[in-house]
Amino acid sequence: MIRAVMFDLDGTLHNREASILSFIENQRERLFPHLDKKVYAERFINLDQGGYVWKDKVYQQMVEEFSLINFCWQELLQDYLSHFPLHAELYPQAITLLNSLKKKGIRMAIISNGYSKFQREVIKSLQIEALFDEIVISEEVGVKKPHPYIFEHTLSRLDVSPDETIYVGDHLKNDIVGAGGVGIYTIWKQPRPVLTTMGDEHVSDLSEVCAAIMKKINSEFCKDQIL
C-alpha cells in the first residue's frame, strides 16, 4: 500500500526557470540598468546550466564579460543569495496536488540537492513547508542524489518502506535512477519526449502526477484485495 510520496524540489515543484528569469531581470534593473535586458538574462541562464553551476563561477564570468567594474563577484553572489528566494515560484498545479495528497493522509517529503540555508529559504518563500512531513537537503546529510543513502535516510524519517513509496522528480540520474535504485516507484516529470524506458511512469507536468499516483495506489489496493 502506498503511504508516502517524495518530491524533488527544483524543476518538479519549484518552477526554477521562471524564478531565475524573474530574479535576473530584477537584478539587472536594480544594479545594471544600462545593460541590455535580454543579453544579460540569456548569458546568466546559459552559464547557470539549470542551476548545476554554482553562482560563484557564474558571477566571476559575468563580471569579466560585462566589465562590471563597480561590483565584485562576491557581492553579486550575496545579492543572489538574498534576493533569489523572493522570486521563487511554484508550478501552477503544485498546491492542488500537495493538498490533495495531504487530505488522503499520504506522508510527504522533499529531497533536494543544494545548500541547506538557501534551499530552505526557497521553500519558505514558496510557502509549502507546512505541507511536508520531512524536508531533506543534501548538505545536511552529507551526500547528494543519486546516492542511495539520501533516499534511505528519508524513508527512515518517514517510517515507510520503498514499496510503500512513490518518488516524483525531473532529473533522470539524480531522481529517477537514484530513487529507483533503492526500490522506490518513480514518476519522471519530463515535458520533452524521451527515448528511454527508465522510470516506472512518465508525465509531462504536475497536473498528471496526481492521476499517476492514484493509479498506482489503486493498483496496489486491487493487488492486496486479490492476495
Side-chain angles (χ1 to χ4, degrees):
M1 179 180 177
I2 299 301
R3 296 174 53 215
V5 178
M6 301 175 180
F7 291 91
D8 168 54
L9 180 63
D10 296 328
T12 300
L13 298 173
H14 173 212
N15 187 346
R16 189 181 181 278
E17 288 185 6
S19 302
I20 202 70
L21 183 59
S22 174
F23 162 74
I24 201 62
E25 289 181 350
N26 175 266
Q27 184 183 64
R28 186 204 61 83
E29 289 173 2
R30 287 185 293 107
L31 305 181
F32 316 114
H34 63 287
L35 294 177
D36 181 272
K37 177 171 70 174
K38 183 178 179 181
V39 172
Y40 186 79
E42 286 183 350
R43 187 54 179 148
F44 183 97
I45 290 168
N46 180 262
L47 292 169
D48 178 61
Q49 291 294 299
Y52 289 97
V53 176
W54 186 234
K55 301 321 151 276
D56 54 354
K57 293 182 173 58
V58 171
Y59 280 119
Q60 287 175 52
Q61 193 69 26
M62 294 287 283
V63 166
E64 180 180 342
E65 290 187 17
F66 288 93
S67 300
L68 306 177
I69 58 176
N70 293 326
F71 292 90
C72 64
W73 68 265
Q74 292 92 336
E75 291 172 309
L76 294 177
L77 175 60
Q78 187 56 52
D79 186 77
Y80 171 82
L81 295 173
S82 300
H83 287 85
F84 175 81
L86 304 178
H87 294 265
E89 299 179 22
L90 286 170
Y91 284 103
Q93 312 92 341
I95 288 296
T96 300
L97 170 61
L98 296 175
N99 282 331
S100 176
L101 294 175
K102 195 75 173 176
K103 287 177 183 177
K104 293 181 183 298
I106 300 293
R107 294 179 64 76
M108 292 188 292
I110 288 174
I111 306 180
S112 179
N113 285 349
Y115 293 104
S116 176
K117 182 179 178 181
F118 182 77
Q119 292 297 79
R120 288 188 178 274
E121 284 295 320
V122 169
I123 293 167
K124 181 180 178 181
S125 182
L126 293 170
Q127 299 182 350
I128 57 174
E129 189 173 11
L131 293 171
F132 288 90
D133 299 283
E134 296 292 336
I135 295 173
V136 177
I137 313 296
S138 63
E139 184 183 34
E140 298 171 359
V141 297
V143 295
K144 295 181 178 181
K145 298 180 292 185
H147 196 288
Y149 176 75
I150 198 167
F151 300 99
E152 293 165 348
H153 171 79
T154 310
L155 288 169
S156 176
R157 297 285 296 179
L158 291 173
D159 192 26
V160 293
S161 62
D163 61 1
E164 296 175 314
T165 307
I166 294 172
Y167 184 92
V168 183
D170 71 309
H171 194 281
L172 178 58
K173 181 180 178 181
N174 292 346
D175 295 320
I176 305 310
V177 174
V182 299
I184 299 173
Y185 186 90
T186 59
I187 298 176
W188 187 13
K189 178 177 173 283
Q190 176 53 260
R192 292 170 291 277
V194 292
L195 298 174
T196 177
T197 58
M198 299 297 292
D200 295 299
E201 187 136 6
H202 297 175
V203 299
S204 60
D205 59 49
L206 284 181
S207 66
E208 300 175 12
V209 170
C210 193
I213 291 172
M214 290 304 107
K215 176 183 173 184
K216 175 63 175 173
I217 289 174
N218 290 335
S219 69
E220 290 292 318
F221 176 78
C222 292
K223 185 167 63 176
D224 289 343
Q225 292 294 97
I226 293 171
L227 294 175

